[in-house]
Amino acid sequence: EDQVTQSPEALRLQEGESSSLNCSYTVSGLRGLFWYRQDPGKGPEFLFTLYSAGEEKEKERLKATLTKKESFLHITAPKPEDSATYLCAVAFSGGYNKLIFGAGTRLAVHP
Amino acid sequence: NAGVTQTPKFQVLKTGQSMTLQCAQDMNHNSMYWYRQDPGMGLRLIYYSASEGTTDKGEVPNGYNVSRLNKREFSLRLESAAPSQTSVYFCASSEQGSGNTIYFGEGSWLTVV
């Protein structure tokens, strides 16, 4: 069964305390793995797309990496404004642009 | 940059009432989607339109209908609202084909009492 699992469910960090979020997946024919940020009361905001194992992308304090079975979102020296829910989604071959979403990781960064 | 625009932002319905959620995108995308988001669950696809003139069911289509009015607009209709349809609804769009980035609107909060 195609599945996307994110861990941890929630993460509390002190400002400046680096950490990683995990997204593991079991799908056949991966066409892309996406990371989104979602603030309360808002829609998911696109962060990164990764297409193949070994690929990495960076944006400010965030860095996303991809292996054949999982992706990590590394947060370096986080600030309180990085607090949000981070969603992972996987696209796989099968006709239309179908995404399977994980349930998300709620990140809280405290000063 | 408007991107994907949804209306209304908030709506309260009584059980059995009907309503339509409107969505428009200005990115010239071929594909459009309606998702719902419930606490503790990932976003789930209700319906999608791969291109203008086509619509198809997603994971959770029961109780909903859609209309792809033109390339820009994709509406979601609840014919007879039920409390189980209380949720946050997101419209989204992308280039056609798998693996393309999907861009989301700001959401519509629907409560059915």
Side-chain angles (χ1 to χ4, degrees):
Chain A
E1 181 187 355
D2 301 314
Q3 199 167 359
V4 176
T5 303
Q6 291 189 247
S7 61
E9 187 175 318
L11 181 63
R12 178 190 171 112
L13 298 174
Q14 289 299 122
E15 185 171 2
E17 180 188 1
S18 301
S19 187
S20 297
L21 312 182
N22 177 263
C23 172
S24 63
Y25 60 92
T26 53
V27 297
S28 54
L30 178 74
R31 297 301 297 269
L33 185 141
F34 303 85
W35 282 99
Y36 291 86
R37 169 191 171 126
Q38 187 173 24
D39 293 300
K42 300 288 187 180
E45 174 189 349
F46 169 69
L47 293 174
F48 304 109
T49 308
L50 302 167
Y51 289 108
S52 57
E55 190 174 359
E56 298 181 352
K57 294 229 176 127
E58 286 189 68
K59 179 180 180 180
E60 295 180 356
R61 295 176 292 282
L62 300 177
K63 178 179 177 180
T65 62
L66 181 65
T67 71
K68 288 186 178 180
K69 293 295 181 187
E70 60 190 348
S71 176
F72 292 94
L73 185 65
H74 306 278
I75 304 176
T76 302
K79 298 182 178 182
E81 52 262 42
D82 295 321
S83 298
T85 296
Y86 290 86
L87 302 174
C88 169
V90 170
F92 54 100
S93 56
Y96 67 99
N97 196 12
K98 178 178 180 179
L99 289 188
I100 294 180
F101 280 85
T105 294
R106 294 189 312 278
L107 173 66
V109 182
H110 296 269
Chain B
N1 294 332
V4 179
T5 305
Q6 305 178 221
T7 57
K9 181 82 170 180
F10 300 99
Q11 184 73 49
V12 178
L13 285 178
K14 293 182 178 178
T15 298
Q17 285 186 319
S18 62
M19 76 158 298
T20 300
L21 300 178
Q22 306 286 355
C23 174
Q25 54 92 8
D26 63 3
M27 294 178 281
N28 201 36
H29 285 159
N30 283 314
S31 298
M32 296 186 73
Y33 314 83
W34 278 104
Y35 287 86
R36 63 178 287 173
Q37 187 175 40
D38 301 293
M41 305 184 73
L43 284 148
R44 293 181 294 168
L45 183 65
I46 305 170
Y47 269 92
Y48 69 97
S49 171
S51 62
E52 185 179 357
T54 69
T55 60
D56 282 290
K57 296 177 180 179
E59 282 181 80
V60 288
N62 291 345
Y64 305 96
N65 284 302
V66 291
S67 296
R68 183 75 183 265
L69 304 171
N70 48 56
K71 189 173 184 179
R72 291 185 64 249
E73 299 173 288
F74 188 40
S75 63
L76 178 71
R77 183 162 179 85
L78 288 69
E79 291 292 352
S80 179
S84 61
Q85 294 179 303
T86 294
S87 188
V88 184
Y89 292 86
F90 290 99
C91 180
S93 70
S94 76
E95 298 289 352
Q96 190 170 2
S98 53
N100 289 303
T101 300
I102 294 181
Y103 297 91
F104 288 84
E106 290 290 275
S108 297
W109 272 252
L110 177 64
T111 301
V112 183
V113 298

